[in-house]
Every structure is written in structure tokens, then in C-alpha cells.
């Protein structure tokens, strides 16, 4: 008896220790769940989360944002839209490399690619011996940009916030970097006129009708994702005069059938690449989640080329106009 | 083995997206060193800059990472007396990954006041701590009656790893596109973020661990005969286990924090050494470290050059290049196993 109790006491020490460990582990494991619950119960909070986190990642790039680049002799562009503007200004002879999102115009595909915009390598960029590197705050990882900046290469980035102003900032930046400020100013002015006309058009229809309930689907391969707040897709829907049915979360999320039925979009906006990837429009509509939506009944689908739609470059006014016309056709 | 490392080092130093003439390499390295010594702030020629600021720290970190992983792998296989044991088994890698992922995805929410100017240090610290905490958890789960049950530790390690992977899955589900991309890059491992302070810290940790590990060689040889036998021979079995776990956790935690997850090296380097040089830990421990270093430096040289000017993730490449070589080796020596 005495022996038993002593044995019990002796093993009490490690047991208490183990219990403390398990509690700590359980707590740690539950932490993400707590945050998940928070995100779901409070949409406003989750939006703040997304903004705060994005802001955090981008803040590391801040020293290069708003920098006025010197005129380049060997230029690298880390953004499809910037590359496009370089071509429009006729300065492509300066370009020695670009990222893999630079696929418009066609000629841009034949340039050396330094990798995906978020996955760059310092030596790769430097091997092309640039004197100026331009991009947006989507470029990264930050440490690679810091490594590049350690050498004598100038880096200038545009704040990416899915606004019309972003396009103007890009044009101004490319104008600086290519030494074609006057041409860039002219281009910005022309585009501004085009943009004002599109926005005036959207405003009149928006005032006269209820906004069509739209859903933005991004699917280049694999599971389709729908656009929540703070995404380029969301910004585009609003610019084109639609309301985004996906409210209450930030970023892109996979579709679920029930949420889709609940959201009841009247029209679906996506990219032509996405439609091609699944094998055409008929295949696109064959997804089971879509069958429960009002959009399915009318087969209301607007597909636009991805870089035009999401690149926030000089083709944005045209993209918004096309989108707007598509939306009106659906409503009529 | 040391020659192999040297060969890999020299080969890798000359390889890269940025072409540097191999013959001019010593001159460049020397002048970069002189430049640094004289405290010049204007930064020499571009070649010099690329070498001093980007490639050299990367090589050094690669050496440290490979050596540390090889060493930890040899320690774990010796301790568990199990050919499948690798440094990740005691939860360091998955714990570090989970902690890093938590910081990447939730960081701005949990610690909004941490200044951004710290760069990647908070992430490294977080990964390091995560690795150690997980190891501590697994180690304490295996305590029973004043001893460590190696079998329990093995199982606890597998279970905790699975839990961490589930947590990781959950976090990647919650993350935004940008975070997911960062997360995946981190998980695939890369030496691309190498900078001098990180490389030097990693080197110091690995060197210190190697010294401690060498003193564990003799006891591990004894443990290979069985724990009871070893304690009859006067080996402090419990102390050896504890030290081996601590050393492996420190070294792998530090390396995972610095360059993300680099799999396969820790598993394979010790086997390779044992196939060639036999099972004596006095040889296996240092030789695994050297072989691991050579493998990582070599693999990284490929990662940098194969798709230049872009770059492959290193963790993918170590397996892609290493596994076929390892299988060929197995085939050749299968009768001896």
C-alpha cells in the first residue's frame, strides 16, 4: 500500500509536466481555429485582417515605392502592365528582361524571363546587367529586391492598389525610366479621357438601374476561385458597374455549391484563359456549383482576356467598357 | 570527403546566372575581401558586388545547411537505430514550418507592433522557436519512469508531424494568394535569401554542434549494440539521447529558419557514408556533415543555373537529383544491407 502510493507520487511529477505540455500544444493547435471563427463571424474584421496582412508584406518594399527612376539604358520590367506601357511608348529596345506575367504584346514573350513576379532571383535579374528595375509592390520576395538594390541597380516600384490611379502611376514611372516623359504624359492624358467617358457611361446606367449581382471567378487551372474584397476582380466589378455578390472575405476563395446558391449571382465574370482551360463555355457551365445560380439559367457569362482584365495597364478603360457592355446586355 | 566539399564549393562559386569567369574568381574574391577590409562604402565592380553580396553568403549558408542536415541525420539514425530516421522525425522541421506559416498568415494580426524594418528576422526566430517547442513536446511525451522511450518518441514524432501538417494545411487555406505564394516558397526551401549575418550565425551553430556531436560518437556506437548493453559498458545512455536530440533540434531549427525546408539530405547523406565507410559513428558523423554540405552546395549551383535567369526551388532539386543517385547506390550495394 505504502509502496503503491509512493510510486504514484513519484510518477506524479512527470505526469503533471506532460499535462502542461499537452495543454500548451492544444492551445497552440486551437489558435488558428479561433481566428477562423473570428474571421467568419465578423466580415468587417476579416477584411481588416486581409488589408493589414497585405500591408505588412508590402511595407517591406516601401523604400522602393514612389522612387523616381533615372533614365535607363538597360531596363527590366517586373510587371505585365509596365512592359505593355514600355512597348506603347516605343521604348522596347531598352528592355533586356521581364517577368513571366509580361505576355502582351506578343513580342514581349520572346524576351528573357527572370521568373514569376513574386519568385524572383537576385542573380538572375543581375545577370542581364540592368541599370534600372521597375515593378509593382507585387514583386518579391523582398529580400531579393534588397539584394538587387545592394548593387548599383536602381529599383522603382508602383504601389499596387487596384485603382485607376495605379494605371496613371505606372505610365508616369515608365515615362521616367525610359526618358519619354512627354510621350507618357500625352498617353496618360488620352487614357484619362477614355476613362472619364467610360466612368460617365457607367454612372448613368448605375443611377438608372439596380446593379447586376456579379461573381468574379478566377480559374486558370484546378479549382475555380471566387474574388472577395481587396482583389483586382472585386475592383473591376465595381468599376464596371456591378455589385460583387461575394461579400465578407478578402482574397480569392474556392467555390462551394451552397455559398454559390446563397450568393445568387446574375452574371459571372471570368477570364478567357480560364474558360479555355476547362475546355470551352459549355464545360465551364457544367460545374455543379453553377447550376444553382440565376446566371446559369441565362448562361450569363462575360469572359475577358486575363492580362487586359487584371493587369491594371493601359487596356483597363477598354476592359471596363467591355465589361460594362456585357453587364448591360445581361440585364436587358 | 573534404576534397569533395572543396570541389563542390569551387564549382558552385563559378556557377550562376551572372557569368563570372572561373579563372578570375580568386582575384574577385580577394579584391572583394580587401574592399570589405578597407571598409569601402562605394561598392567595387558589379562582378565583385554580385560575388560578395549574393553568391558568397549563399555558398556559405549552403555549406552550413548541408553540413547541419547531414550531421543531424546521422545523429537521429544513430539514436533511433532506424534507417528511416531523419532530422524531421523529432518535429523540428514541421514545427518550424507551422510557426513560420502562422507568422506569414497571421503575423500582422497577432503582432501589429513589430517593426517591419526587422525584415526576415522575426520569421526566422519564430521558425526556430517553433522547431524547438515541437521537439520539446515530442521529447517530453516519450518520458517514462525516468527514461526516454525511443519507440514512443518515434511514434510521437510521426503523430506530431501529422498534426503540424494539418495545421499547415489549415493556414494555407486561410491565407491570401500572396501569403500562399510566400508560404509555398518557404516550404520548398531556398538559399536565395542568404545574407551575411544569417550565413555566419548558421555556420557558428553548425560548427559548435559538430564539436558536441563528435563527443557523442563513441556513446552512439555503444547504443547501436542495444541500450542495456551500452549502459553496462558504462555509457550514460540517457544523457547521450538528450544531447543528441538537443543538438539535432538546434541545428535543424537554425537551418530551417534560415532557408526553409530542405528535405532528403538528412535522410540520405548518412546512409551514403555508411555504405562507403561502415557504421562507426566517429567517421559517420563528420563524413555525413561533409557529404551533406557538398550535396547542398552542388544542388544549389544547379538550382541557380538550370533555368537562369529564373531559379528553381532548392528543396525540389535536392530530391530530384539526389534520389536517383541514391537508388543507384542502393542497387549496387543491396547485398551488403
Amino acid at each position: 500500500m505504502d509502496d503503491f502510493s509512493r510510486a504514484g507520487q513519484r510518477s506524479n511529477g512527470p505526469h503533471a509536466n506532460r499535462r502542461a505540455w499537452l495543454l500548451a500544444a492544444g492551445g497552440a493547435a486551437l489558435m488558428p481555429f479561433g481566428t477562423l471563427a473570428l474571421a467568419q463571424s465578423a466580415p468587417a474584421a476579416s477584411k481588416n485582417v486581409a488589408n493589414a496582412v497585405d500591408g505588412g508584406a508590402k511595407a517591406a518594399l516601401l523604400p522602393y515605392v514612389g522612387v523616381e527612376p533615372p533614365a535607363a539604358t538597360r531596363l527590366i520590367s517586373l510587371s505585365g502592365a509596365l512592359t505593355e506601357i514600355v512597348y506603347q511608348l516605343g521604348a522596347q529596345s531598352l528592355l533586356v528582361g521581364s517577368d513571366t506575367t509580361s505576355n502582351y504584346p506578343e513580342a514581349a514573350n520572346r524576351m528573357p524571363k527572370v521568373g514569376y513576379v513574386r519568385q524572383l532571383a537576385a542573380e538572375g535579374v543581375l545577370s542581364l546587367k540592368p541599370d534600372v528595375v521597375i515593378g509593382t509592390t507585387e514583386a518579391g520576395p523582398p529580400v531579393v529586391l534588397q539584394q538587387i538594390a545592394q548593387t548599383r541597380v536602381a529599383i522603382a516600384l508602383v504601389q499596387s492598389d487596384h485603382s485607376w490611379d495605379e494605371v496613371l502611376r505606372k505610365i508616369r514611372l515608365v515615362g521616367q525610366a525610359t526618358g519619354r516623359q512627354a510621350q507618357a504624359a500625352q498617353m496618360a492624358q488620352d487614357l484619362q479621357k477614355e476613362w472619364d467617358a467610360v466612368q460617365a457611361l457607367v454612372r448613368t446606367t448605375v443611377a438608372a438601374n439596380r446593379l447586376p449581382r456579379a461573381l468574379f471567378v478566377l480559374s486558370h487551372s484546378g479549382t475555380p476561385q471566387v474574388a472577395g474584397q481587396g482583389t483586382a476582380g472585386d475592383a473591376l466589378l465595381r468599376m464596371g458597374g456591378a455589385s460583387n455578390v461575394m461579400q465578407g472575405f478578402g482574397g480569392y476563395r474556392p467555390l462551394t455549391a451552397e455559398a454559390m446558391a446563397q450568393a445568387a449571382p446574375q452574371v459571372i465574370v471570368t477570364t478567357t484563359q480560364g474558360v479555355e482551360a476547362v475546355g470551352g463555355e459549355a464545360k465551364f457551365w457544367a460545374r455543379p456549383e453553377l447550376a444553382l445560380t440565376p446566371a446559369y439559367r441565362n448562361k450569363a457569362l462575360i469572359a475577358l482576356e486575363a492580362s487586359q482584365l487584371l493587369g491594371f495597364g493601359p487596356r483597363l478603360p477598354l476592359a471596363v467598357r467591355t465589361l460594362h457592355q456585357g453587364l448591360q446586355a445581361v440585364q436587358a | 570527403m573534404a576534397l569533395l566539399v572543396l570541389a563542390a564549393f569551387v564549382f558552385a562559386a563559378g556557377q550562376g546566372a551572372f557569368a563570372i569567369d572561373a579563372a578570375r574568381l580568386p582575384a574577385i574574391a580577394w579584391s572583394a575581401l580587401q574592399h570589405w577590409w578597407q571598409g569601402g562604402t562605394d561598392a567595387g565592380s558589379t562582378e565583385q558586388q554580385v560575388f560578395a553580396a549574393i553568391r558568397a553568403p549563399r555558398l556559405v549558408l549552403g555549406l552550413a545547411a548541408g553540413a547541419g542536415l547531414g550531421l543531424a541525420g546521422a545523429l537521429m539514425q544513430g539514436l533511433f537505430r532506424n534507417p528511416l530516421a531523419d532530422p524531421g522525425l523529432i518535429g523540428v522541421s514541421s514545427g518550424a514550418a507551422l510557426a513560420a506559416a502562422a507568422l506569414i498568415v497571421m503575423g500582422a494580426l497577432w503582432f501589429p507592433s513589430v517593426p517591419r524594418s526587422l525584415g526576415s528576422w522575426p520569421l526566422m526566430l519564430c521558425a526556430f522557436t517553433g522547431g524547438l517547442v515541437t521537439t520539446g513536446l515530442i521529447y517530453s511525451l516519450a518520458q517514462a519512469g525516468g527514461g526516454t522511450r525511443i519507440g514512443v518518441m518515434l511514434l510521437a514524432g510521426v503523430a506530431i508531424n501529422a498534426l503540424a501538417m494539418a495545421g499547415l494545411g489549415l493556414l494555407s487555406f486561410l491565407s491570401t494568394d500572396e501569403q500562399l505564394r510566400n508560404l509555398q516558397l518557404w516550404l520548398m526551401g531556398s538559399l536565395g535569401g542568404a545574407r551575411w549575418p544569417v550565413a555566419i550565425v548558421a555556420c557558428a551553430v553548425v560548427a559548435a554542434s559538430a564539436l558536441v556531436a563528435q563527443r557523442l560518437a563513441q556513446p552512439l556506437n555503444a547504443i547501436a549494440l542495444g541500450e542495456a548493453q551500452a549502459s553496462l559498458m558504462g555509457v550514460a545512455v540517457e544523457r547521450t539521447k538528450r544531447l543528441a536530440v538537443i543538438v539535432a533540434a538546434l541545428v535543424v531549427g537554425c537551418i530551417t529558419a534560415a532557408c526553409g525546408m530542405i528535405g532528403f539530405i538528412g535522410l540520405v547523406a548518412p546512409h551514403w557514408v555508411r555504405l562507403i565507410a561502415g557504421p562507426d559513428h566517429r567517421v559517420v558523423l563528420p563524413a555525413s556533415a561533409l557529404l551533406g554540405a557538398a550535396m547542398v552546395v552542388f544542388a544549389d549551383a544547379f538550382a541557380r543555373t538550370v533555368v537562369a535567369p529564373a531559379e528553381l526551388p532548392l528543396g525540389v532539386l535536392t530530391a530530384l537529383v539526389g534520389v536517383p543517385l541514391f537508388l543507384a547506390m542502393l542497387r549496387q550495394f543491396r547485398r551488403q544491407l
Side-chain angles (χ1 to χ4, degrees):
Chain A
M1 187 67 195
D2 220 347
D3 269 331
F4 272 121
S5 69
R6 220 179 296 144
Q9 271 175 353
R10 211 183 301 143
S11 62
N12 217 0
H15 270 298
N17 197 7
R18 211 177 305 166
R19 222 169 291 131
W21 271 112
L22 284 174
L23 266 179
L30 284 176
M31 234 173 333
F33 288 101
T35 324
L36 179 69
L38 182 90
Q40 280 181 341
S41 64
S46 91
K47 190 177 171 186
N48 286 340
V49 172
N51 287 347
V53 171
D54 284 347
K58 280 172 188 171
L61 301 170
L62 270 183
Y64 318 114
V65 173
V67 174
E68 305 259 301
T73 54
R74 297 178 64 84
L75 181 67
I76 289 184
S77 158
L78 303 177
S79 141
L82 292 175
T83 308
E84 196 178 325
I85 297 167
V86 171
Y87 273 88
Q88 285 211 357
L89 293 177
Q92 59 269 34
S93 59
L94 297 174
L95 272 182
V96 292
S98 66
D99 74 318
T100 50
T101 68
S102 298
N103 49 20
Y104 184 93
E106 190 55 39
N109 283 317
R110 291 191 290 275
M111 200 182 306
K113 300 291 181 193
V114 294
Y116 179 70
V117 55
R118 290 192 209 290
Q119 197 185 339
L120 305 164
E123 269 201 49
V125 171
L126 291 174
S127 71
L128 301 170
K129 302 205 169 61
D131 49 7
V132 177
V133 173
I134 54 175
T136 72
T137 45
E138 276 165 7
V143 64
V144 166
L145 294 182
Q146 281 158 16
Q147 284 174 335
I148 296 171
Q150 259 182 1
T151 63
R152 270 174 302 199
V153 176
I155 298 185
L157 301 180
V158 173
Q159 183 77 46
S160 160
D161 55 8
H162 314 309
S163 65
W164 170 244
D165 199 45
E166 181 185 333
V167 181
L168 297 177
R169 285 197 297 261
K170 282 174 177 164
I171 296 172
R172 208 175 313 130
L173 182 77
V174 176
Q176 288 270 343
T178 57
R180 286 168 166 76
Q181 284 93 337
Q183 272 170 277
Q186 184 61 47
M187 180 179 164
Q189 212 182 335
D190 294 346
L191 278 174
Q192 182 68 50
K193 271 191 209 131
E194 209 182 314
W195 179 250
D196 289 341
V198 171
Q199 286 300 290
L201 184 71
V202 172
R203 266 196 300 278
T204 33
T205 22
V206 164
N209 305 306
R210 280 188 60 214
L211 295 179
R213 298 169 52 79
L215 173 76
F216 190 90
V217 178
L218 191 67
S219 86
H220 283 180
S221 60
T223 324
Q225 309 252 317
V226 296
Q229 275 72 60
T231 59
D234 179 68
L236 240 117
L237 290 183
R238 278 185 284 111
M239 286 172 173
S243 71
N244 186 355
V245 291
M246 285 297 153
Q247 294 293 323
F249 66 88
Y252 292 88
R253 289 274 180 275
L255 306 149
T256 72
E258 286 188 28
M260 186 72 77
Q262 170 79 25
Q266 295 170 302
V267 54
I268 290 172
V269 181
T270 189
T271 61
T272 45
Q273 285 91 333
V275 175
E276 277 164 29
V278 295
E281 238 185 279
K283 287 267 173 56
F284 183 86
W285 285 115
R287 281 201 72 88
E289 303 91 340
L290 300 178
L292 301 166
T293 62
Y296 181 82
R297 264 168 253 139
N298 309 318
K299 299 283 190 293
L301 178 69
I302 303 171
L304 285 162
E305 197 276 321
S307 75
Q308 178 185 17
L309 197 59
L310 301 172
F312 283 79
R315 287 174 295 158
L316 184 67
L318 187 64
V320 170
R321 184 184 287 274
T322 320
L323 175 63
H324 180 68
Q325 282 162 352
L327 289 169
Q328 280 199 300
V330 169
Q331 273 199 319
Chain B
M1 206 62 86
L3 282 178
L4 183 65
V5 176
L6 197 67
F9 191 79
V10 170
F11 169 76
Q15 297 298 308
F18 192 93
I20 296 179
D21 189 1
R24 293 197 344 98
L25 208 62
I28 290 168
W30 176 243
S31 66
L33 201 65
Q34 265 183 333
H35 199 80
W36 173 76
W37 186 250
Q38 288 157 3
T41 42
D42 69 307
S45 71
T46 314
E47 266 179 350
Q48 238 176 61
Q49 284 172 16
V50 169
F51 187 80
I54 297 171
R55 198 175 293 169
R58 189 168 180 158
L59 287 172
V60 172
L61 183 62
L63 278 181
L69 290 171
L71 186 73
L75 277 177
M76 287 300 98
Q77 284 168 14
L79 183 65
F80 285 106
R81 286 181 283 150
N82 182 325
L84 276 179
D86 86 339
L89 201 63
I90 49 172
V92 208
S93 317
S94 59
L98 185 63
L103 191 69
I104 289 173
V105 178
M106 305 286 182
L109 175 64
W110 287 345
F111 312 105
S113 55
V114 176
R116 300 285 159 211
S117 55
L118 287 175
S120 49
W121 286 108
L123 186 68
M124 291 188 193
L125 200 68
C126 200
F128 185 64
T129 321
L132 291 196
V133 166
T134 326
T135 307
L137 177 66
I138 291 172
Y139 188 74
S140 70
L141 279 172
Q143 299 297 313
T148 316
R149 296 294 143 94
I150 290 295
V152 178
M153 205 166 155
L154 203 75
L155 289 174
V158 171
I160 298 285
N161 275 343
L163 187 66
M165 285 303 143
L168 210 58
L170 188 66
L171 283 168
S172 57
F173 173 76
L174 288 174
S175 60
T176 66
D177 299 354
E178 195 174 330
Q179 292 163 355
L180 189 65
R181 196 85 197 178
N182 289 340
L183 197 62
Q184 276 178 342
L185 277 181
W186 198 86
L187 290 181
M188 285 190 292
S190 166
L191 299 176
R195 319 193 73 181
W196 276 119
V198 178
I200 287 167
V201 170
C203 259
V205 170
V206 170
S209 308
L211 288 180
V212 178
Q214 204 53 36
R215 296 187 51 195
L216 294 177
Q218 205 60 273
L220 280 176
N221 279 344
I223 287 179
L225 303 170
E227 281 184 31
Q229 180 74 24
S231 59
L232 280 180
M233 286 163 69
V235 171
V237 174
E238 207 46 45
R239 188 167 158 274
T240 307
K241 286 188 209 162
R242 197 165 51 232
L243 264 180
V245 169
I246 291 173
V247 167
L250 276 177
V251 96
V252 177
C254 172
I255 288 160
T256 313
C259 33
M261 303 245 274
I262 301 175
F264 183 72
I265 301 285
L267 177 67
V268 164
H271 283 302
W272 222 327
V273 170
R274 250 180 259 117
L275 282 174
I276 298 168
D280 185 351
H281 280 95
R282 281 171 303 181
V283 179
V284 170
L285 288 173
S288 301
L290 290 179
L291 185 64
M295 282 167 80
V296 168
V297 169
F298 208 61
D300 186 51
F302 273 107
R304 285 184 278 130
T305 46
V306 171
V307 292
E311 194 169 300
L312 281 175
L314 178 64
V316 177
L317 210 78
T318 48
L320 213 61
V321 176
V323 171
L325 283 175
F326 183 59
L327 288 178
M329 199 74 159
L330 277 185
R331 222 183 116 71
Q332 195 161 8
F333 287 93
R334 65 193 142 176
R335 277 191 200 90
Q336 295 171 27
L337 287 174

